[in-house]
Amino acid sequence: MKIFAWSPIRELMKNSGAEMVAKDAVDELISYLEKKAKEITNLALEFSRHAQRKKLTEADMQMAFSQLK
């Protein structure tokens, strides 16, 4: 099941300069984005659990982003 909607991702790619975008190219980007979103969320959850919180916060996400750089 895809989480990201196909049309907005295609539009993003076109707005980034791609004149024509193949369906499989959009599907590939969606798969990558979903994989990365899960990875970042899992890392952020580690930070929230370490802080003994159930709620995932913006700060947790920012710390996860900084770990991936």
Side-chain angles (χ1 to χ4, degrees):
M1 181 178 98
K2 297 288 181 193
I3 302 298
F4 289 99
W6 194 85
S7 293
I9 299 297
R10 181 178 175 271
E11 190 66 27
L12 175 74
M13 294 170 83
K14 290 187 76 139
N15 289 342
S16 295
E19 290 182 31
M20 296 175 66
V21 181
K23 183 181 183 318
D24 61 344
V26 178
D27 290 339
E28 188 66 25
L29 181 55
I30 288 172
S31 293
Y32 177 81
L33 292 172
E34 289 174 348
K35 178 182 167 192
K36 280 300 185 185
K38 288 176 186 177
E39 180 182 328
I40 293 166
T41 301
N42 286 332
L43 184 55
L45 281 170
E46 289 181 30
F47 293 123
S48 68
R49 289 179 183 136
H50 180 73
Q52 298 179 343
R53 287 183 281 102
K54 291 183 179 181
K55 182 182 269 186
L56 189 64
T57 65
E58 179 183 354
D60 297 324
M61 295 302 293
Q62 292 295 334
M63 284 192 287
F65 295 147
S66 70
Q67 294 293 310
L68 296 176
K69 293 180 182 178

